[in-house]
Amino acid sequence: MKLLRFGPKGQEKPGLLDADGNVRDLSGVLVDITPQTLSPQGLVALRALDPATLPVVKSPGRLGVPFTGLGKFLAVGLNYSDHAAEAGLDAPSEPVLFTKWENCLNGPNDPVVLPKNAVKGDWEVELGFVIGKTARYVPIEDALDYVAGYCLVNDVSEREYQIERGGTWDKGKGFDTFGPVGPWLVTTDEIGDPQQLGLWLDVNGVRRQTGHTSKMIFSVAYLVHYMSQFATLKPGDLVTTGTPPGVGLGQKPPVFLKPGDVMHLGIDGLGEQTQEVRAYDTRWLD
C-alpha cells in the first residue's frame, strides 16, 4: 500500500494511492494515519479494504507528511562509503546517529525555508523507514519485521550550523521545513529488499546525486538492530538512513542553496518530491 495524507497544512485527510494512481479517501475509515494505523494489526485491517470501494479524490491538492504522531525523527550520517569519501572522512565503524527535530517535518512539495543568515544550505536525498512495532534489543535477523514501511526524505541541512558552530550536528538539521517526507509511506510488502533501490536528486534541473541503497555501509536491518540497543524504537518513529555522494558541500567548488532554487528528488518505488527554496519568512512556516 501507498499511504498518504492530503489537504491544507493542519487539515490533512488520510488516503491511499491505488494501483491506477488515483488518490482514495480513507477518512470514512480512519480519522488519520497514526502510529496505531502502522502497527501490524492496523496494516492488516487496511489491507482488507478494497480500494475500489473508497471515494476517489479528483483534486487532492497539497500532500502532507504521510503519517502523523511521529515520536522520534532519527538520522544516520556518513552511511554511504562514497559520500564519506567526498567529505574527506573515513567510513565509520559504527553508525553515526543524530536527530532531526519534529518541527522540521514538511510536506514533500512544500517550500524549504532557509534560516535567517543561512549561508550553506544543502540537500540530501535519503531512504527513510518507519517503525511499526516496539523494538528493543532486536536481533538483526528479525529486524525488518519491525518496519512498517519506507518513504523518501530530503535531509535538508545548513552546513555552517552543522559543522562550524560547535556541538552536535543536530542544530544544522532541525530548522523548520528541513525534513520533507513523502509523497507516500510505502508498506514493506511493496518494496521487498530495501537495499536494492536507486535514488537521485536534481537542483535546478542539474543532476547532483545518483546513488543506490546497495552502497549503504549499514543496512536498514542493521540500523534497526543497532539503534534498538540504545533506545526503544516505537511505532511512528522515523529513521532516515544517510545520503549518497553529490551533496552541495561535496561539489568542487561547493554549491549551496539559495532562494529560488528548486530541488527535485526520488527513490525507486517511493515517489518523487519537488521543493522551491525560499528566504526566511514566517508566512511559509505558519
Side-chain angles (χ1 to χ4, degrees):
M1 290 180 294
K2 294 181 173 70
L3 302 175
L4 56 87
R5 296 168 69 243
F6 62 95
K9 188 179 293 186
Q11 302 175 44
E12 294 91 344
K13 294 182 178 181
L16 60 79
L17 195 74
D18 70 17
D20 296 320
N22 299 309
V23 173
R24 299 278 182 165
D25 190 345
L26 279 170
S27 60
V29 179
L30 298 172
V31 173
D32 212 335
I33 298 171
T34 66
Q36 184 176 1
T37 311
L38 303 178
S39 69
Q41 299 83 1
L43 292 178
V44 166
L46 279 183
R47 289 191 183 100
L49 296 174
D50 179 359
T53 65
L54 301 170
V56 173
V57 183
K58 293 184 178 180
S59 300
R62 173 186 174 272
L63 295 179
V65 177
F67 68 100
T68 190
L70 176 137
K72 297 186 284 294
F73 192 170
L74 304 173
V76 184
L78 302 174
N79 196 27
Y80 286 72
S81 55
D82 38 9
H83 174 52
E86 78 170 346
L89 300 169
D90 293 334
S93 58
E94 293 194 32
V96 175
L97 306 181
F98 60 94
T99 61
K100 289 180 74 73
W101 299 316
E102 181 184 5
N103 61 276
C104 79
L105 285 172
N106 210 27
N109 304 311
D110 290 345
V112 164
V113 180
L114 297 175
K116 290 181 179 180
N117 306 313
V119 293
K120 295 184 178 180
D122 208 345
W123 56 83
E124 296 189 21
V125 58
E126 303 197 4
L127 170 66
F129 66 86
V130 180
I131 295 296
K133 61 181 182 179
T134 300
R136 188 181 294 118
Y137 295 109
V138 173
I140 191 169
E141 60 270 19
D142 299 330
L144 293 183
D145 294 341
Y146 290 79
V147 176
Y150 302 99
C151 54
L152 171 61
V153 177
N154 189 354
D155 177 18
V156 184
S157 309
E158 213 299 337
R159 301 299 188 189
E160 183 190 41
Y161 294 9
Q162 175 190 356
I163 298 169
E164 300 173 31
R165 298 188 59 176
T168 66
W169 288 6
D170 303 29
K171 67 178 70 171
K173 298 285 190 171
F175 189 72
D176 298 331
T177 77
F178 271 25
V181 178
W184 319 301
L185 175 64
V186 183
T187 52
T188 57
D189 55 299
E190 290 203 11
I191 295 302
D193 185 355
Q195 307 310 140
Q196 294 298 321
L197 302 175
L199 60 170
W200 53 270
L201 182 145
D202 298 341
V203 180
N204 300 330
V206 176
R207 182 60 46 92
R208 292 297 188 178
Q209 289 186 276
T210 302
H212 198 271
T213 57
S214 62
K215 299 289 188 182
M216 286 168 57
I217 299 168
F218 304 106
S219 68
V220 171
Y222 187 83
L223 291 173
V224 174
H225 157 73
Y226 182 86
M227 289 180 166
S228 73
Q229 314 301 307
F230 302 98
T232 298
L233 304 178
K234 295 188 175 183
D237 286 351
L238 170 61
V239 180
T240 191
T241 61
T243 199
V247 299
L249 184 64
Q251 307 293 315
K252 299 187 184 304
V255 177
F256 296 112
L257 294 169
K258 61 186 184 301
D261 285 346
V262 175
M263 295 178 283
H264 184 209
L265 56 151
I267 299 180
D268 294 346
L270 300 182
E272 300 181 9
Q273 303 178 352
T274 301
Q275 300 109 24
E276 181 180 348
V277 179
R278 295 180 178 168
Y280 181 82
D281 188 322
T282 55
R283 64 181 165 159
W284 309 125
L285 305 177
D286 298 333

